[in-house]
Amino acid sequence: MACIGGLVYLHCSGVPGANVEVMSHLADYRGRLCGVGENLEKPYLFFCLHGDRLDVKHMQCRDSCPSGRGTSHRCLTMVNGEAKWEDMRDYPTIRIAGLLCEPLSLGLAQQVDDGHKGELSDPSAVVLRMAANAWEPVSVAALVGFLLGVGFLVLLKYCASALIWLGMLLLSVGPLVYGSVALECWHGHQLCRFLGRGMESWQVLSVGIGGCVLGLLFACLLMRQTHDIA
């Protein structure tokens, strides 16, 4: 009850005078929110590329996210201490939560994270910023999870063996697939987007080997315990 009372107090005293738009939009380098006001038609936060480095201090709002290097965007540059606008080459990005143009390159994406930790427009806080407008999908997810849990308990009564077999197979196949993806990323630099960001080459290799070994161990356990499962 004390926690609920505290939340009610914070809501009543803070929300009426607050700019709630900052919870669902990212801001450019001048603090103007993307997708709001003069940037209404520019909902995506974008970082200009200068050589091999991203300008994480002068982020801008764009109307779309570039998918390749064949386009350019007007960016703010510093020449001899003087601000100047120039057309800079784009790079491949993907749209994240309708808020951010995230670089496909793991190295560039890591630069974004390193340059904005703890700031108001920290792109890594996108999930938290969506919370204010995401109660519908969260409620649906909770309801679906509850129904799936009840359904699982009902099925246990009638087909427990099949569910146990399925669970054991997933325990074996899941690590094998993830380990294979990691090894492919390490060897051929493909599918790396499924592993997250900021991993060194040796870490990717370790994850790949560990996942495959874990999957094979579960597979051996499954074959040895066939009689007990039945």
Side-chain angles (χ1 to χ4, degrees):
M1 292 300 293
C3 293
I4 295 175
L7 290 175
V8 170
Y9 169 76
L10 291 175
H11 184 276
C12 295
S13 61
V15 171
N19 179 13
V20 295
E21 297 286 359
V22 300
M23 293 296 296
S24 55
H25 297 80
L26 297 175
D28 65 9
Y29 74 99
R30 289 194 290 182
R32 300 175 302 180
L33 296 176
C34 299
V36 176
E38 59 184 290
N39 289 325
L40 184 62
E41 303 297 328
K42 300 177 180 180
Y44 302 105
L45 189 69
F46 177 76
F47 301 88
C48 292
L49 180 64
H50 299 271
D52 60 349
R53 300 292 300 177
L54 291 178
D55 184 357
V56 296
K57 298 302 181 184
H58 300 97
M59 53 277 191
Q60 301 178 35
C61 300
R62 289 186 63 158
D63 58 353
S64 62
C65 292
S67 58
R69 302 179 183 274
T71 56
S72 61
H73 185 68
R74 199 160 182 78
C75 299
L76 182 66
T77 61
M78 301 299 294
V79 180
N80 298 325
E82 182 179 351
K84 182 180 180 181
W85 291 94
E86 294 184 0
D87 288 333
M88 306 299 294
R89 177 172 53 87
D90 286 332
Y91 53 93
T93 64
I94 55 174
R95 294 190 299 270
I96 298 295
L99 302 175
L100 172 71
C101 297
E102 181 175 271
L104 281 177
S105 166
L106 296 181
L108 295 181
Q110 188 62 49
Q111 291 181 31
V112 174
D113 282 349
D114 293 343
H116 283 269
K117 288 298 184 185
E119 294 187 11
L120 178 61
S121 284
D122 183 358
S124 63
V126 165
V127 176
L128 295 178
R129 292 177 179 276
M130 294 176 62
N133 298 324
W135 66 268
E136 298 97 335
V138 170
S139 301
V140 172
L143 179 60
V144 171
F146 173 76
L147 294 177
L148 288 176
V150 173
F152 181 79
L153 293 177
V154 172
L155 289 175
L156 275 178
K157 183 177 180 180
Y158 300 102
C159 52
S161 179
L163 291 176
I164 294 176
W165 275 105
L166 178 61
M168 292 295 291
L169 285 174
L170 290 176
L171 285 175
S172 177
V173 173
L176 280 173
V177 171
Y178 192 79
S180 300
V181 170
L183 290 177
E184 176 62 24
C185 173
W186 174 78
H187 180 264
H189 302 289
Q190 302 293 326
L191 307 177
C192 295
R193 69 183 66 178
F194 298 106
L195 299 179
R197 302 186 302 224
M199 296 181 66
E200 301 291 340
S201 178
W202 67 270
Q203 293 175 317
V204 175
L205 178 60
S206 300
V207 169
I209 295 176
C212 291
V213 170
L214 185 62
L216 290 174
L217 286 176
F218 276 117
C220 293
L221 179 64
L222 180 63
M223 290 185 291
R224 291 179 60 88
Q225 300 298 322
T226 300
H227 177 73
D228 293 340
I229 293 175

